Amino acid sequence: MTDAAALPGQPRGGVLPGPATARAVNVLAPNASVMTLDGTNTWIVAEPDSDLAVVIDPGPLDDGHLKNVVDTAEKAGRRIALTLLTHGHPDHAEGAVRFAELTGTRVRALDPALRLGDEGLAAGDVITTGGLELRVVPTPGHTADSLCFHLPADRAVLTGDTILGRGTTVVAHPDGRLGDYLDSLRRLRSLTVDDGVHTVLPGHGPVLEDAQGAVEFYLAHRAHRLAQVETAVENGHRSPAEVVARVYADVDRSLWPAAELSVRAQLDYLTEHGLIQAEF
């Protein structure tokens, strides 16, 4: 069995509901799949001595899960006062409206279509509910509206789908753009270098104890995939599907549709930077 400390980002064992840091508690949604791994991690975040909590990504429209999130907060003596979204994919955001009904909270997101209330989220915003400090970090790439939340007191970052606890994420072309994603990874790397972030609290998969190692792995992985895609095109593979079959031959075929989204993003990136001359 592989030692977790030897894996990218040093994952903390399995995906376990419950406390992950002094301020963050995971409630795992029952929506496991090849795309969502063990399910969506819904995060309850609060100062240890506060009776107010913030929920990040209520998850799918599943009443049992949503009520479990509320119950988990209430059992800890807390009332949920605000809901935040890392991005609008249904496995993270579909339950937000129902969750707002259950809790009476506003929903803040980058995308105005996802908001309930007047306030959105933008770079530089700081959430201070119940004395908590959460800093909004724009991280487009997986989707155009992707955000992360820096939790300085725990030296942690909540990454949604920008960094996963296991495997790598999809650049969801055409909404997601690879150039944006690479810039976002570099932005997260600066948090690990300049702000001392060491823990990744992902939207799927286990907590990662080595945030910088995770980011470096993601950057290296993207560079490797780009080189593979460029070589595949040079060798005559002309369509995204052909490139997927060549580059992702060792990946479970159930993931090929998702891989094709990333390949399309890679082809756009290579074309924009003049590294390939082709039309797809």
Side-chain angles (χ1 to χ4, degrees), residues 58-248:
L61 184 54
D62 180 310
D63 249 34
H65 170 64
L66 300 177
K67 290 175 180 176
N68 188 26
V69 175
V70 175
D71 290 346
T72 300
E74 290 181 347
K75 286 176 183 176
R78 296 192 172 101
R79 175 177 66 84
I80 296 167
L82 179 65
T83 302
L84 306 175
L85 298 178
T86 61
H87 65 296
H89 279 169
D91 55 314
H92 294 258
E94 185 184 37
V97 172
R98 174 59 177 151
F99 191 70
E101 293 173 354
L102 291 171
T103 59
T105 61
R106 295 166 296 142
V107 177
R108 295 181 63 180
L110 179 61
D111 185 348
L114 299 171
R115 301 172 189 168
L116 290 177
D118 296 331
E119 288 187 282
L121 291 170
D125 284 351
V126 180
I127 310 301
T128 57
T129 302
L132 185 72
E133 182 181 346
L134 275 176
R135 301 175 185 173
V136 177
V137 182
T139 50
H142 169 66
T143 60
D145 69 330
S146 287
L147 298 170
C148 293
F149 298 97
H150 177 199
L151 180 56
D154 285 348
R155 296 173 65 191
V157 61
L158 297 107
T159 55
D161 282 355
T162 299
I163 293 180
L164 305 178
R166 186 170 68 251
T168 56
T169 199
V170 174
V171 179
H173 177 86
D175 183 45
R177 295 179 57 83
L178 182 58
D180 291 342
Y181 186 65
L182 294 174
D183 287 342
S184 293
L185 290 176
R186 296 182 189 109
R187 191 171 297 120
L188 291 175
R189 180 170 58 186
S190 75
L191 287 182
T192 72
V193 174
D194 301 331
D195 296 276
V197 166
H198 62 66
T199 302
V200 173
L201 305 175
H204 305 280
V207 172
L208 300 178
E209 303 281 10
D210 177 15
Q212 186 172 352
V215 174
E216 296 292 356
F217 170 76
Y218 266 58
L219 285 166
H221 172 77
R222 288 296 169 191
H224 179 61
R225 284 296 194 213
L226 270 174
Q228 288 180 307
V229 170
E230 185 176 3
T231 298
V233 172
E234 290 172 351
N235 289 338
H237 299 280
R238 309 311 300 168
S239 72
E242 289 174 353
V243 173
V244 168
R246 174 70 174 182
V247 173
Y248 292 81

